[in-house]
Amino acid sequence: MARAKTSYVCLPCRASYKQPYLGDHERICPRCAAPLIHAGSAFAPPRRGDTAAWRTLSVLLNAGVRFHKSCCGGPGYRPRTWRETRAGPAYARRTGEPLARALVR
């Protein structure tokens, strides 16, 4: 039986790789040898030249937000623009809510 594939992202290279999920096994980028970040099975990467989208994605992934399927609805709301992302940290500071949760509110 085949293992489910999930996405791993290299932020410096702006690259995404679909690979079988093997637990907490660390993955290395084949282009720059930096550690890959597990993004989840419902992740769809932006175009490599879309700087604003990669900037937004960087904030999300570094805050711990992942793109996992939750049944048929997909991963739920995720900010797509820098303006939407910028509001999350301010809300988290104001309310004391964890940053990852505030970003997907």
Side-chain angles (χ1 to χ4, degrees), residues 51-88:
T51 305
W54 281 96
R55 185 173 160 193
T56 298
L57 181 61
S58 175
V59 170
L60 293 172
L61 292 177
N62 286 320
V65 175
R66 299 297 182 255
F67 299 81
H68 295 289
K69 295 175 186 170
S70 58
C71 191
C72 302
Y77 171 76
R78 298 294 185 261
R80 297 185 66 95
T81 66
W82 182 244
R83 173 179 273 166
E84 293 172 350
T85 304
R86 202 174 47 192

Side-chain angles (χ1 to χ4, degrees), residues 21-36:
Y21 181 71
L22 302 173
D24 290 336
H25 177 71
E26 185 174 313
R27 308 286 180 134
I28 302 296
C29 177
R31 297 176 77 178
C32 71
L36 294 174

Side-chain angles (χ1 to χ4, degrees), residues 1-6 19-23 27:
M1 179 164 74
R3 290 188 185 261
K5 298 256 181 166
T6 189
Q19 298 178 358
Y21 181 71
L22 302 173
R27 308 286 180 134

